[in-house]
Amino acid sequence: MTDEVIDIKPMDFQDREVPDETVGEVHVKNPRMTARNVSVYYGDKLAVDNVTLDVGTSEVIAFVGPSGCGKSTLLRCYNRMNDTIDICRMEGDINIDGDDINDPKIDVVSLRARVGMVFQKPNPFPKSIFENIAYGPRIHGLAKDSVELDEIVERSLERAGLWSEVKDRLDQPGTSLSGGQQQRLCIARAVAVGPEVILMDEPCSALDPIATAKVEELISELRKQYTIVIVTHSMQQAARVSDRTAYFHLGKLVEVGETNEIFTRPAHRLTEDYITGRFG
Amino acid sequence: MSLTSLILPLLIIGAIYFYLGQHWGRRQWALGSVKLHSLPRYYGFWTGLVATVPALLLLIFLSLGDDFLFKSMLKQFYPSDVLDGDVVVRAIAFTKVMNLVEGVRFGVQEPWVEAAASAWIGWQKVADLVIASVTIGCSLVAGIFAYRQISPTFRARNGVERIILWALIACSSIAIFTTIGIVLSVLFESIRFFKLIPIQDFIFGVEWNPQFEGAERAGSGGGTATYGMLPMFAGTFLISAVAITVAVPIGLFSAIYLAEYASLKTRSVVKPLLEVLAGVPTVVYGFFAALTVAPFVRSVGASLGIEVASESALAAGLVMGIMIIPFVSSLSDDVINAVPQSLRDAAYGLGSTKSEAIRQVVLPAALPGIVAAIILAVSRAIGETMIVVMAAGLAANLSFNPLDAVTTVTSQIVTILSGDQEFESAKTLSAFALALVLIVVTLALNFFALQIVKRYREQYD
């Protein structure tokens, strides 16, 4: 999040021309969430510049781009996490299933129940594993009794591939798990609320390669039920897990398209330079 | 006298050795033929510190120690009646001698006192000379030793590091030894008290009437002195309970407001204002309690048809509660702020409202710190004296009704010990026994609170 605020622009791409028009098809047939002319400001600084993009139902879309390109900021618009930052201001429309998320009639609390989030650093609550998962269902009243709650916890942990590892120690603190397990616990915690969309902000950047592989495997598993938006710095990860890829540069959405297209035949010069590692 | 006038020469010697050591280092540095282990100034620090620190410690030790030696040497001058006398007789004899030594003369003294005083002055002169030569000699020798020790491979930097470590340990142990000293001094006086009054009468007694002590000793009748501590402890707990009932909710909720809801600007104004409360002298709180709050409580009570004593535990407790609000609010605010933002993000990301995130995530994570803040406030309330003396009265009633006049342990200690006291009477010594129990109670309180924190804490690292 912070690296979005800090303006890191290596000299060699400051001069490059960023187009006003996005290359590629921003619209999809069955959109879950749509962003129309979204701009985000931190104080006076423009972080996201007039982005229009659809997120399709049950697809995994990866946001890539150099640090400070606005990808995390846009991600945090989808569940209005930027509301917690005083100086942050958003323009344009974001809809979920046709409802404007910034509409005063839409409650931010229920929006976040529909659009879950997994953060860069694993952040389990300092509670037991069980309580970590049960937290969301409890505050939203998803379980009628403790039996149902137990079921939700078990199902969520199973869905996150963590059940077999933790089923005998549900009463131990979530912080006692390894980093990779903690991150999968956070994913299970998000899943437990029954969201339609899961936002992932560089979910593997604090994990070792083996834990990363497990989380990626989990993402491929989750795509069957959920729409997933993932911000990543790893090109390989975007290529491995996503259906579509969006490339951001200096707050603008430069190019979007099918992941194999983007990685094999990037249309825009900037995209090509970035994915081939010429800068970033 | 010898102590202070010798410090300067020792520091000068230290400075000279520092210069020598650093100069040696710089010369080697300039020659460049060998590689020095440390920077030149570390060789300076090493020689300088070795020359000064042990000599200074020796100086302190000798200056404090010589009086003990002289005191035992003084015995040869005492006449037999002093030697056979008890502690008090010897103390008086010693004071007589010391008065003469310091040039204070009350009339004509016995010849042995004159002789002892002049001998003491003679010893003092010899001792000053010995101390001066020993410490300066020690300093010079240690300096030479250190200077000869240094070589290009000598690890002066690590040596200096070690000296710093020991200096830090010495400073922190001063606090510990002071605490031990306080406890011991209270303990010894209490033991003297318990020789006069059985300990079970003190701990389980429900009557507190030390004021009859004088009459009882004079044999004039009129009452029996009793030393039951329970009324005062009941009063202490009653007033502290009222204070905590006021301070914890107000303090904690203002901390939550400051940490989670207030804008930066509000916070920067409100927090210092709250902390001003801690800066108000307790005597001011005392007359606020006695002149404003107590009559108010009384009149409210009267309008409801309830009898309230003009000096009530409720009034004192209310004001004490206001006084300790900043302890709770300021420390709780700090610990709430220290809870990582990522935990709040996680809670918000799952769709918590602000108060859900605070109640279920932030506060449990901040619990150990909040409990610590409350403990600090409780010990402040238990130890508070002035408000109670002024607003709650001195009547030692065994009562748990906050509308009664009660008294506390600390205000009784003040009453007992203010003015001239004879240290042989049970009345005076009872103050130390009270203090001892107070120390034990607060220690126990801290201990149990720590256990509770350990059991319920949610560790976020």
Side-chain angles (χ1 to χ4, degrees):
Chain A
M1 190 268 295
T2 43
D3 59 340
E4 299 298 304
V5 182
I6 301 164
D7 201 12
I8 305 166
K9 291 184 210 145
M11 284 309 290
D12 68 324
F13 72 80
Q14 225 161 21
D15 313 329
R16 286 165 205 257
E17 194 191 330
V18 184
D20 283 335
E21 289 289 310
T22 301
V23 181
E25 183 52 58
V26 297
H27 300 289
V28 296
K29 279 208 295 283
N30 51 350
R32 173 72 78 186
M33 297 195 81
T34 57
R36 294 287 173 269
N37 305 102
V38 171
S39 297
V40 183
Y41 298 85
Y42 286 113
D44 294 334
K45 191 186 172 290
L46 182 62
V48 174
D49 185 0
N50 197 18
V51 169
T52 295
L53 179 65
D54 285 355
V55 176
T57 305
S58 291
E59 78 167 355
V60 179
I61 181 165
F63 288 4
V64 299
S67 292
C69 69
K71 55 194 189 303
S72 284
T73 305
L74 179 64
L75 185 80
R76 290 166 60 92
C77 285
Y78 285 121
N79 65 346
R80 287 176 55 189
M81 275 306 275
N82 287 328
D83 288 10
T84 60
I85 301 168
D86 286 340
I87 56 164
C88 193
R89 186 165 54 83
M90 181 193 140
E91 287 169 4
D93 295 318
I94 295 181
N95 287 15
I96 176 162
D97 297 335
D99 303 326
D100 180 4
I101 65 163
N102 289 307
D103 190 320
K105 274 180 285 184
I106 293 259
D107 182 14
V108 67
V109 165
S110 53
L111 169 70
R112 287 178 189 156
R114 291 167 76 183
V115 185
M117 187 157 197
V118 176
F119 296 84
Q120 189 167 357
K121 206 175 139 233
N123 55 355
F125 295 128
K127 303 176 186 295
S128 69
I129 293 171
F130 182 90
E131 286 299 318
N132 262 284
I133 309 295
Y135 179 86
R138 276 218 185 100
I139 60 172
H140 294 297
L142 299 182
K144 279 199 289 291
D145 48 37
S146 66
V147 180
E148 229 175 298
L149 189 63
D150 289 348
E151 277 171 20
I152 293 179
V153 170
E154 180 174 347
R155 203 170 54 232
S156 309
L157 283 169
E158 245 165 19
R159 214 163 269 178
L162 204 57
W163 177 249
S164 58
E165 289 162 60
V166 301
K167 65 170 185 282
D168 300 324
R169 46 176 181 146
L170 289 176
D171 55 338
Q172 285 184 17
T175 42
S176 66
L177 298 173
S178 73
Q181 287 174 322
Q182 285 188 19
Q183 193 62 297
R184 281 184 285 147
L185 181 69
C186 292
I187 293 173
R189 186 175 65 182
V191 165
V193 186
E196 298 158 30
V197 182
I198 300 175
L199 309 173
M200 297 187 176
D201 190 355
E202 298 180 39
C204 300
S205 64
L207 304 184
D208 64 64
I210 293 168
T212 300
K214 281 202 169 152
V215 171
E216 286 179 5
E217 204 177 302
L218 174 59
I219 292 170
S220 330
E221 209 41 49
L222 292 171
R223 75 199 312 163
K224 290 167 195 162
Q225 280 151 318
Y226 306 96
T227 299
I228 294 172
V229 186
I230 177 169
V231 164
T232 178
H233 268 131
S234 155
M235 290 304 101
Q236 293 87 339
Q237 185 168 64
R240 281 193 298 261
V241 301
S242 70
D243 304 312
R244 284 203 303 155
T245 298
Y247 174 68
F248 291 81
H249 195 111
L250 294 179
K252 288 201 166 79
L253 175 56
V254 174
E255 182 171 354
V256 63
E258 297 294 322
T259 297
N260 352 351
E261 286 289 316
I262 290 260
F263 280 92
T264 49
R265 286 186 295 279
H268 198 280
R269 180 74 204 288
L270 279 168
T271 320
E272 187 186 345
D273 286 356
Y274 185 69
I275 60 173
T276 53
R278 215 158 291 169
F279 68 84
Chain B
M1 182 208 79
S2 56
L3 181 84
T4 42
S5 59
L6 272 173
I7 289 176
L8 188 65
L10 286 180
L11 289 181
I12 292 172
I13 292 172
I16 291 170
Y17 274 113
F18 171 78
Y19 174 77
L20 285 176
Q22 194 187 31
H23 184 74
W24 177 88
R26 287 213 174 126
R27 214 175 49 225
Q28 303 294 319
W29 196 271
L31 286 175
S33 50
V34 280
K35 190 167 157 27
L36 284 184
H37 173 270
S38 312
L39 289 175
R41 66 167 178 275
Y42 281 109
Y43 292 100
F45 282 132
W46 175 254
T47 48
L49 286 172
V50 169
T52 344
V53 174
L56 276 176
L57 290 178
L58 192 65
L59 173 63
I60 293 169
F61 177 73
L62 290 178
S63 310
L64 295 178
D66 60 354
D67 279 5
F68 287 102
L69 180 66
F70 297 167
K71 220 168 162 179
S72 66
M73 283 161 69
L74 212 55
K75 278 189 186 136
Q76 51 179 305
F77 290 94
Y78 287 163
S80 57
D81 58 324
V82 173
L83 283 174
D84 297 340
D86 62 9
V87 185
V88 181
V89 176
R90 271 198 236 171
I92 292 171
F94 180 68
T95 313
K96 277 186 192 165
V97 177
M98 288 322 288
N99 278 338
L100 272 192
V101 168
E102 277 154 30
V104 186
R105 195 171 275 277
F106 299 107
V108 184
Q109 295 292 348
E110 296 116 290
W112 70 266
V113 179
E114 298 278 357
S118 60
W120 182 290
I121 293 169
W123 297 336
Q124 191 73 61
K125 277 186 186 146
V126 175
D128 283 358
L129 213 65
V130 170
I131 291 174
S133 45
V134 166
T135 47
I136 291 183
C138 162
S139 176
L140 290 170
V141 170
I144 291 171
F145 173 74
Y147 185 72
R148 294 188 57 168
Q149 194 185 14
I150 57 177
S151 67
T153 52
F154 178 69
R155 300 177 180 183
R157 198 169 154 205
N158 308 25
V160 171
E161 204 63 30
R162 246 183 349 261
I163 292 177
I164 290 173
L165 170 70
W166 282 106
L168 297 179
I169 290 176
C171 284
S172 48
S173 47
I174 284 176
I176 296 167
F177 284 123
T178 314
T179 315
I180 294 175
I182 291 172
V183 171
L184 286 184
S185 71
V186 171
L187 184 68
F188 287 135
E189 299 296 333
S190 305
I191 289 172
R192 287 176 64 193
F193 173 75
F194 291 131
K195 277 181 189 151
L196 298 172
I197 308 292
I199 190 163
Q200 65 272 20
D201 288 5
F202 175 71
I203 291 180
F204 301 111
V206 293
E207 293 273 334
W208 175 255
N209 285 314
Q211 63 271 25
F212 293 127
E213 206 263 343
E216 200 180 64
R217 272 212 298 186
S220 61
T224 332
T226 47
Y227 299 93
M229 66 168 208
L230 287 182
M232 272 105 59
F233 274 91
T236 301
F237 284 118
L238 184 58
I239 293 185
S240 303
V242 174
I244 288 304
T245 318
V246 173
V248 167
I250 298 181
L252 192 55
F253 292 157
S254 43
I256 291 170
Y257 169 73
L258 284 178
E260 298 287 333
Y261 290 91
S263 69
L264 277 178
K265 211 171 148 194
T266 321
R267 185 184 149 84
S268 67
V269 176
V270 174
K271 201 177 180 196
L273 280 180
L274 258 179
E275 279 161 5
V276 166
L277 278 180
V280 176
T282 54
V283 68
V284 177
Y285 280 112
F287 66 66
F288 175 63
L291 301 181
T292 314
V293 178
F296 175 74
V297 169
R298 191 173 156 76
S299 68
V300 169
S303 69
L304 295 173
I306 304 168
E307 180 81 14
V308 182
S310 59
E311 295 183 316
S312 64
L314 184 62
L318 285 177
V319 174
M320 201 190 275
I322 303 289
M323 184 189 81
I324 58 178
I325 284 174
F327 286 88
V328 180
S329 71
S330 196
L331 287 172
S332 305
D333 174 58
D334 288 344
V335 294
I336 291 172
N337 262 321
V339 173
Q341 181 62 31
S342 67
L343 289 184
R344 289 187 192 90
D345 282 347
Y348 293 144
L350 287 167
S352 312
T353 61
K354 201 150 193 173
S355 81
E356 282 168 344
I358 291 166
R359 270 185 292 128
Q360 294 166 13
V361 176
V362 178
L363 287 187
L367 186 73
I370 292 172
V371 172
I374 294 174
I375 293 171
L376 193 69
V378 171
S379 6
R380 216 24 235 273
I382 291 178
E384 174 50 37
T385 315
M386 211 32 136
I387 296 175
V388 186
V389 170
M390 293 172 83
L394 292 170
N397 296 326
L398 182 56
S399 164
F400 287 100
N401 178 359
L403 304 176
D404 284 346
V406 296
T407 190
T408 66
V409 179
T410 50
S411 63
Q412 277 308 313
I413 293 176
V414 169
T415 328
I416 291 167
L417 287 185
S418 44
D420 286 341
Q421 299 301 334
E422 35 174 355
F423 267 71
E424 287 307 293
S425 86
K427 184 187 171 193
T428 313
L429 290 174
S430 67
F432 292 96
L434 286 177
L436 181 68
V437 180
L438 199 61
I439 292 174
V440 171
V441 168
T442 22
L443 281 183
L445 210 68
N446 279 318
F447 178 76
F448 283 118
L450 282 180
Q451 295 303 310
I452 291 168
V453 167
K454 238 186 226 165
R455 178 173 299 176
Y456 293 107
R457 77 181 310 179
E458 293 189 344
Q459 203 156 2
Y460 50 75
D461 295 319

